[in-house]
């Protein structure tokens, strides 16, 4: 964790009646956070309040030195000023966590060259609009991976990376990430749905609500891209998930409209290539 990010994990909040309390955060898992994203048709005020309480419970490690009670969480959610402070910090933390990830684009011209890049490079090189994990800074939006987006446009005559290795400080076991836009990946996704969320009256234990959930779609598809299982993705740091969600969109779904700006040079052979699928 960088010093800038670590500094965000402890701050004071006004709890009313002149009392201030120190909030200390933790980095939650995918299971604790990503599953809380509600589809638009379910975003009632009651559901929104419940989801915000669950998210803050997962995000806050201690409040005034102890685990926050349900009443304390409710008091925060019901007070626009306190909630606004916490959500502002939360949004900043999520952005910083995503920016800690790195990708190594493997050179197509030689066997050993790798260009190290981050999300900032892709968003500037591809001129993508600013990302946001929330709807107007409040409720989490469904992940980009939850939608089977079309493949991005690719210019002819430009070589592309032969593969991608990924790493994030909160997920040391990360290795390669693969495109979900291939026929093989689509077949694997169909097989994974049948295995992990089959239709019928008796879904696997603990998976009763997965199939209609946009969160499960994202988790399942990321598991395919990483060649792992949804359970592994479920236990991953939410920061690593946010990084990979944005990264796969940049690698597979975003158009490369200006290849001269997006191309990188191999540090070994000096060959130029596009760091996208």
């Amino acid at each position: 964790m960088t010093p800038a990010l670590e500094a965000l994990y402890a701050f004071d909040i006004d709890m009313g009646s002149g009392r201030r309390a120190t909030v200390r955060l933790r980095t939650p898992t995918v299971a604790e956070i990503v599953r809380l994203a509600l589809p638009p048709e379910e975003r009632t005020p009651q559901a929104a309040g419940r989801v915000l309480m669950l998210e803050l419970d997962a995000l806050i490690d201690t409040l005034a030195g102890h685990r926050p009670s349900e009443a304390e969480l409710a008091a925060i959610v019901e007070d626009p000023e306190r909630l606004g402070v916490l959500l502002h910090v939360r949004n900043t933390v999520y952005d910083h966590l995503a920016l800690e990830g790195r990708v190594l684009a493997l050179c197509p011209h030689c066997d050993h060259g790798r260009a190290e890049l981050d999300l900032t490079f892709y968003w500037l090189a591809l001129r993508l609009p600013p990302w946001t994990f929330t709807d107007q800074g409040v409720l989490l939006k469904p992940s980009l991976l939850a939608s089977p987006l079309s493949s991005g446009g690719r210019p002819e005559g430009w070589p592309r990376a032969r593969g991608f290795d990924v790493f994030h400080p909160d997920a040391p076991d990360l290795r390669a990430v693969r495109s979900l836009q291939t026929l093989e990946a689509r077949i694997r996704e169909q097989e994974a749905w049948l295995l992990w969320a089959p239709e019928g009256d008796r879904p696997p234990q603990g998976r009763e609500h997965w199939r209609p959930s946009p969160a499960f779609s994202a988790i399942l598809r990321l598991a395919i891209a990483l060649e792992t299982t949804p359970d592994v993705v479920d236990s991953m740091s939410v920061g690593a998930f946010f990084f990979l969600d944005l990264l796969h969109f940049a690698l597979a779904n975003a158009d490369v409209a200006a290849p001269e700006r997006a191309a990188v040079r191999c540090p070994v052979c000096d060959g130029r290539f596009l760091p996208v699928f």
Side-chain angles (χ1 to χ4, degrees):
M1 185 183 297
T2 63
L5 181 57
E6 190 171 358
L8 291 171
Y9 272 52
F11 57 96
D12 288 346
I13 189 171
D14 183 2
M15 293 301 291
S17 302
R19 183 170 67 93
R20 297 191 67 79
T22 298
V23 178
R24 296 191 181 277
L25 304 181
R26 58 183 288 270
T27 303
T29 65
V30 169
E32 293 173 309
I33 297 296
V34 175
R35 279 199 256 174
L36 298 178
L38 293 172
E41 64 272 14
E42 295 182 18
R43 293 189 177 190
T44 64
Q46 183 179 5
R50 176 180 56 82
V51 163
L52 285 172
M53 282 187 61
L54 290 171
E55 185 176 1
L56 293 182
D57 187 44
L59 186 62
I60 296 173
D61 188 25
T62 60
L63 176 65
H66 63 269
R67 287 287 299 152
S69 66
E70 185 174 343
E72 288 171 323
L73 291 172
I76 293 172
V77 170
E78 292 167 5
D79 185 279
E81 186 171 345
R82 294 175 206 160
L83 181 61
V85 170
L86 264 164
L87 293 184
H88 174 73
V89 175
R90 176 205 66 177
N91 296 340
T92 305
V93 164
Y94 287 171
D95 281 341
H96 274 261
L97 286 171
L99 285 168
E100 288 200 313
R102 297 291 184 272
V103 59
L104 298 174
L106 308 185
C107 177
H109 306 291
C110 68
D111 294 334
H112 304 292
R114 303 186 301 176
E116 182 175 330
L117 308 166
D118 61 10
L119 291 177
T120 300
F121 165 82
Y122 283 99
W123 254 249
L124 293 175
L126 302 177
R127 292 189 176 176
L128 299 174
W131 70 69
T132 175
F133 302 117
T134 63
D135 186 3
Q136 299 182 0
V138 183
L139 293 179
L140 288 170
K141 296 193 302 185
S143 307
L144 293 168
L145 284 163
S147 299
L149 301 171
S150 60
S151 299
R154 300 287 179 262
E156 294 184 4
W158 282 85
R160 288 177 255 165
R162 59 182 171 85
F164 297 91
D165 289 337
V166 290
F167 60 99
H168 191 282
D170 288 343
D173 294 332
L174 285 178
R175 293 294 182 267
V177 62
R178 291 170 173 79
S179 174
L180 293 168
Q181 304 303 112
T182 65
L183 176 60
E184 178 188 8
R186 293 189 179 99
I187 292 172
R188 292 181 61 205
E189 182 176 349
Q190 292 175 348
E191 294 172 345
W193 275 106
L194 294 175
L195 176 64
W196 291 93
E199 293 180 329
D201 297 331
R202 294 186 178 181
Q205 186 175 2
R207 306 279 178 181
E208 293 83 359
H209 305 293
W210 279 101
R211 180 165 280 276
S213 166
F216 179 68
S217 296
I219 291 168
L220 183 78
R221 301 189 86 229
L222 182 57
I224 293 166
L226 297 176
E227 294 192 340
T228 186
T229 67
D231 284 338
V232 171
V233 175
D234 234 5
S235 63
M236 184 183 294
S237 153
V238 73
F241 179 91
F242 285 148
F243 161 64
L244 291 165
D245 186 48
L246 293 172
L247 178 66
H248 188 273
F249 172 79
L251 295 181
N253 305 118
D255 293 333
V256 180
E260 286 285 350
R261 186 175 63 244
V264 296
R265 288 194 179 275
C266 171
V268 175
C269 72
D270 203 40
R272 296 188 75 196
F273 64 96
L274 295 175
V276 295
F277 287 126

